[in-house]
Amino acid sequence: MGNTVPSLFAAVVGKDPSLPFLTFYDDATGERTELSGATLANWVSKTANLLVDGCGLGPGDVAAVRLPAHWQTAAILLGAWTAGLSVAYGEPTAAGADVEFASLAVAERDAEIGAAGNASGVADRYVLGLAPMGLPMRGSVPTGWADYVAEVRQFGDHYPGPVGGEGTGELIERARALALPGGRLLVDADTHPDPVQWLVGPLAAGASIVLSVNSDPEKLAARAAAEQAVPI
C-alpha cells in the first residue's frame, strides 16, 4: 500500500490510465468535466514542474491553497505533494481572504502563512478562475498574481522527480479512518468539503471519483446510477 498521497494516486491511475479517474459536476453552472487518470496525471506533473522549475521550490517549502473542491484543486494539491511541498489548505471564502478569486500562494521554506494565504517570503502567487475546460481566467488578473492555467501550460507533462510527499502520512491515516469502499465513489463536496474526504479518502480506498459541487440533491441518486458510483 502506498505511504504517500502521490504513490496512492500513481497506484490508482496505473491500473488503467485511460479510464475516467475524476468526473466533476457543478450543478450551479451545468458543467461536467471528465478526466482520465492520464489527463489528470499530466496536470499534476505540470503543476509539480511549475512549482519546482518555475518557482524554485522543493521539499520543506509551503503551498498555501485557497480553493474549493474542484478538479483543478485536485491537480494542484497532488502537484504540490508530488513536488514534496507542505500544503496549508483553506477554502477561498475564509475570513480575511486577500483576493476574490480561488488562489494558490507558494512560499519559501519556513515561511509563516496566515489564513488568507499571506506569507513571509512569498515568491509566487497564482490565481484561478476555475473556468470550464481548464481555460485561462476571464478578465484581468489581480496585480501581483499570475494566471495559474496560463502559466502551468508552459511546463512539461512528465515530472522527472524525485517524487516527494513524505509529509502526507497524517493525511493518509485520516483518509483510511474513513473506511471508504473501493471502486467508484460519488462525493457531494457540499457536505464533504475537506480534501481528505473528497480526494485523499477515495485514493486511499483505490477508488475513482465523481465530485459534485453546488449539488442539486434531487440529481444525486440518478448521477450515482449513471456513473456507476457509490455515494458517500
Side-chain angles (χ1 to χ4, degrees):
M1 300 178 72
N3 295 316
T4 69
V5 174
S7 65
L8 293 176
F9 176 63
V12 176
V13 171
K15 296 174 183 176
D16 188 341
S18 67
L19 291 177
F21 172 76
L22 196 161
T23 305
F24 174 77
Y25 285 89
D26 184 344
D27 285 339
T29 64
E31 177 185 356
R32 180 187 184 276
T33 298
E34 184 166 275
L35 292 88
S36 68
T39 299
L40 184 58
N42 284 347
W43 279 86
V44 170
S45 293
K46 284 179 177 292
T47 301
N49 285 322
L50 166 67
L51 295 171
V52 173
D53 296 335
C55 303
L57 301 177
D61 293 327
V62 182
V65 180
R66 300 290 175 257
L67 291 165
H70 193 276
W71 68 264
Q72 289 182 32
T73 305
I76 285 176
L77 292 174
L78 290 168
W81 289 323
T82 295
L85 274 64
S86 299
V87 174
Y89 177 81
E91 293 186 80
T93 54
D98 51 1
V99 294
E100 294 180 355
F101 300 95
S103 61
L104 162 69
V106 296
E108 296 172 356
R109 189 188 309 264
D110 300 326
E112 294 183 2
I113 297 182
N118 294 312
S120 60
V122 164
D124 299 273
R125 294 177 181 230
Y126 296 92
V127 64
L128 292 87
L130 301 180
M133 305 299 292
L135 296 174
M137 283 189 60
R138 298 163 179 160
S140 60
V141 176
T143 302
W145 296 76
D147 183 343
Y148 161 80
V149 170
E151 296 295 324
V152 80
R153 286 178 172 173
Q154 304 175 41
F155 291 85
D157 292 345
H158 173 69
Y159 178 66
V163 175
E166 287 79 2
T168 60
E170 183 267 339
L171 294 175
I172 294 175
E173 289 182 8
R174 289 170 54 200
R176 286 182 173 149
L178 299 173
L180 299 177
R184 187 157 171 79
L185 302 178
L186 170 63
V187 186
D188 179 1
D190 298 345
T191 56
H192 301 291
D194 189 328
V196 170
Q197 299 168 316
W198 64 262
L199 177 60
V200 185
L203 287 175
S208 61
I209 305 165
V210 180
L211 181 63
S212 181
V213 304
N214 300 312
S215 302
D216 180 346
E218 295 184 357
K219 294 182 178 180
L220 292 177
R223 180 165 300 155
E227 296 288 350
Q228 300 181 17
V230 176
I232 64 168

